[in-house]
Amino acid sequence: MIYLDNAATTRLDDEVAEAMAPYLKEYYGNPQSQHAAGRETANALLSARDKTAHIMGCSAEEVYFTSGGTESGNTAVKGVCAARGKGHLVISAIEHPSVLESAEFMRKFGFEITYVNPDKQGIVGVQSIEKAVKDNTVFCAVMAANNETGVIQPVEEIGKFCRGRGIFYYCDCVQTAGVLPLPTQFCDGLGISAHKFYGPKCSGAMYIRRGSKIEGLISGGMQERGFRGGTVNTAAVVGLSAALEKAYANADKTNKKVAELRDRFLNRVLFEIEGTHLNGDFALRVPSNANISFDGCDGENILFLLDLKGVAVSTGSACSAGAVAPSRVITAMGYGAERAKSAVRFTFGKYNSESEVDRAFEILKEAVEKIRAVKS
Ligand code: PLP
């Protein structure tokens, strides 16, 4: 299989798997236990928390292990709302559903929401955030980079603005962790997810700035300093910290390789297949992402034909009730349904090779020609 869906998830790195293995079998004590078996895993957690904090650029007490990006987004939105009781939320229209749907959930409890659209390049400008903010705004969410387009957002400016207004700023860093520096100093909360940087699934971490007004969501245990009850998955946390450490240690090399693969593919698509358009800013994007619309095609049809030939990609379209809805991210950027429905996301990773990229291009070209021939 040629796997070009690395924004959805990545293959577990062998070294990370090795680091985790002892905590799946040998060291199985509950880190809360008062005996030696418990102390062993508690020490592993301590060390993983220290490593994670060091990379995040915060103190160990500001790191909370979670099950991933979805839980972190839920915790940020609902936790701040629970602590504040009432108010207004400013949410970028291109956030992950974990943030968007949490905000909608809080509407039921009287919270008001303003959604902020990006521009045609996929960027949510600080000025549009400033315009959306009201006297009673308590929370703002703008992600570090969008999961569909890979477009990098001006989080430093947004964070500084929110800090000046006393607004809790949550930055979903799921698509940039291990790739770009984490904007910890500019936000009040951020979330990362290990399976996006060659770590295990269902393993995430959240930074929450000391002194923030936020409630935890999961009651019933003193784990994570009483903020998130439930026995911590030691192996998953060890895996997260090992994957994070390795990703940042090799980031320059990996980013260069991945961007070269992506550009090799993207240039061929844009120059050799007519009627193709890159979605989102050309330069301000994570190295892995090429989101391309194909005139006269449905992204879903391209996905199916590529899948038949062993190439894995994704679209931003959502299937509901048997119909395919166009990508809401590309629609929010101001494009029509046709462009949004014809978008396909190709995301490259460190395990891809040039020959895979070239083969995927040939398969894609054939698929697009086939779809267009049927339609004409
Ligand atoms: N946020 C973003 C930007 C994502 O891309 C994803 C996953 O695709 C998530 C959150 C959810 O992360 P997880 O799969 O760890 O719940």
Side-chain angles (χ1 to χ4, degrees), residues 7-9 66-73 94-99 143-148 170 172-176 191-196 200-204 345:
T9 196
T66 68
S67 64
T70 302
E71 184 187 324
S72 301
I94 57 170
E95 291 303 292
H96 186 265
S98 53
V99 169
M143 65 208 324
N146 180 258
N147 41 302
E148 283 188 37
Y170 176 66
D172 174 335
C173 296
V174 169
Q175 291 293 334
T176 60
I192 67 172
S193 177
H195 74 99
K196 307 287 186 177
K201 293 177 179 44
C202 224
S203 179
R345 181 183 75 176

Side-chain angles (χ1 to χ4, degrees), residues 131-168:
K131 266 196 218 144
V133 159
K134 302 185 184 185
D135 288 345
N136 63 340
T137 304
V138 292
F139 180 90
C140 173
V142 180
M143 65 208 324
N146 180 258
N147 41 302
E148 283 188 37
T149 61
V151 172
I152 297 168
Q153 305 300 322
V155 296
E156 182 176 334
E157 287 101 311
I158 294 169
K160 284 179 178 164
F161 167 73
C162 288
R163 180 82 39 99
R165 298 288 294 256
I167 298 165
F168 185 105

Side-chain angles (χ1 to χ4, degrees), residues 45-46 48-54 56 58-73 75-76 168 170 184 188-194 197 202-218 221-230 232-233 236-237 240-241 244:
L45 281 189
L46 210 62
R49 194 182 306 280
D50 282 344
K51 275 188 202 169
T52 307
H54 179 71
M56 282 185 161
C58 63
S59 74
E61 293 73 40
E62 292 171 311
V63 173
Y64 297 85
F65 292 119
T66 68
S67 64
T70 302
E71 184 187 324
S72 301
T75 304
F168 185 105
Y170 176 66
T184 314
D188 302 292
L190 74 76
I192 67 172
S193 177
F197 46 87
C202 224
S203 179
M206 237 184 135
Y207 153 74
I208 300 175
R209 196 155 82 94
R210 189 183 283 118
S212 298
K213 283 188 181 156
I214 182 166
E215 297 283 338
L217 299 189
I218 304 175
M222 285 317 293
Q223 293 89 352
E224 298 303 283
R225 301 171 301 291
F227 187 74
R228 181 190 188 259
V232 177
N233 182 345
V237 163
L240 176 131
S241 68
L244 195 62

Side-chain angles (χ1 to χ4, degrees), residues 99-115:
V99 169
L100 293 173
E101 289 176 25
S102 295
E104 281 304 316
F105 179 77
M106 293 319 303
R107 204 194 277 283
K108 293 185 211 158
F109 298 90
F111 284 84
E112 241 187 297
I113 310 164
T114 302
Y115 291 108

